[in-house]
Amino acid sequence: MAHSEPLTVAQTLADVRTRLDRAAGLAGRQPNEIELIAISKTHPVEAIQPLLTAGHRSFGENRVQEAAEKWPALRDRYPDVRLHLVGQLQSNKARDAVALFDSIHAVDRPSLITALAAAMKAEDRRPDCFVQVNIGDEPQKGGCAIVDLGALLTRAREAGLPVAGLMAVPPADVEAAPYFALLAELARRHDVPGLSMGMSSDYETAAMLGATCVRVGTALFGGRG
Ligand SMILES: *Cc1c(COP(=O)(O)O)cnc(C)c1O
């Protein structure tokens, strides 16, 4: 094309999905084994709307407050939306999170497990829970230490949380693949089905290494300013 128009978000979505499916195929996996979560944090409803119009239904936010402002009205119109919380969760926001989200990707400490269990009882809602692992053992990152994972999973299961998988954000600026492989190994060892891993720069690698959901923001929406 002589003058290429900027891609619409729907075209970008189709491109990301194609890459994801190709990566899944290389690993002998089925495309429908991998949920593409569009991370819409910081982006306004006007940026989200075209994805909804294109039929996309899986979204993620990292702040309860921001999600509570953006999503209830959209969900009235698109009741089949699946909303994921991918950021750190304070225990005092557990009830709001349980009321709003279909899955929570940052379960990383006993006090939060207790708060979520109480919130699920109070709300009579049971979002899928992913236990976040500090896979690169980085002091500034959320997630439980690898050595604590077994005990935390036991605690989550005993508290009645629906444990759907493990989640991690590998260290920045190094090859992510070994960390994805390690997370997959931990999931096997602890008999956890889901793997939430892979972001804009590495979702294809994550798909090849067993991700069941990838969390993609920038590659879909552009930068967050
Ligand atoms: C923001 C965020 C993402 C998306 O990151 P991109 O690099 O923009 O794709 C994924 N996971 C978590 C936990 C995030 O906070």
Side-chain angles (χ1 to χ4, degrees), residues 15 27 31 34 43 45 47 50 73 81 109-110 114 129 147-148 158 167 178 187 194-197 206 220-221:
D15 177 56
I34 307 173
H43 296 289
V45 167
V81 156
R109 57 194 189 277
T114 306
C129 290
V147 290
D148 296 333
E158 283 174 359
M167 179 273 205
L195 279 174
S196 169
M197 60 188 197
L220 289 171
F221 293 103

Side-chain angles (χ1 to χ4, degrees), residues 60-153:
E61 294 280 344
N62 71 336
R63 296 208 169 145
V64 177
Q65 182 60 36
E66 182 183 343
E69 284 159 20
K70 277 152 63 174
W71 281 98
L74 288 172
R75 286 192 119 166
D76 285 346
R77 288 165 48 222
Y78 301 94
D80 53 343
V81 156
R82 271 179 59 76
L83 198 56
H84 302 258
L85 177 62
V86 300
Q88 297 267 20
L89 177 58
Q90 293 167 267
S91 296
N92 64 5
K93 301 254 176 70
R95 187 152 178 189
D96 291 342
V98 164
L100 189 58
F101 290 94
D102 301 294
S103 109
I104 294 174
H105 291 237
V107 179
D108 65 356
R109 57 194 189 277
S111 58
L112 182 57
I113 289 172
T114 306
L116 284 170
M120 288 186 195
K121 203 161 169 225
E123 292 290 327
D124 196 18
R125 258 190 121 244
R126 291 165 51 77
D128 287 340
C129 290
F130 287 76
V131 172
Q132 184 176 354
V133 183
N134 187 349
I135 201 73
D137 193 22
E138 297 173 280
Q140 80 284 11
K141 274 235 174 102
C144 73
I146 291 173
V147 290
D148 296 333
L149 177 61
L152 200 66
L153 282 168

Side-chain angles (χ1 to χ4, degrees), residues 16-36 170 175-177 179-181 183-184 188 195-216:
V16 170
R17 189 70 241 186
T18 301
R19 289 164 180 264
L20 200 50
D21 293 354
R22 185 170 170 280
L26 282 174
R29 306 183 64 212
Q30 298 299 318
N32 63 9
E33 291 174 39
I34 307 173
E35 181 173 354
L36 170 57
E175 178 54 56
Y179 296 97
F180 292 154
L183 194 71
R188 266 191 297 279
L195 279 174
S196 169
M197 60 188 197
M199 310 186 1
S200 289
S201 57
D202 50 26
Y203 62 87
E204 292 162 283
T205 307
M208 286 191 263
L209 290 169
T212 60
C213 37
V214 293
R215 310 178 307 265
V216 179

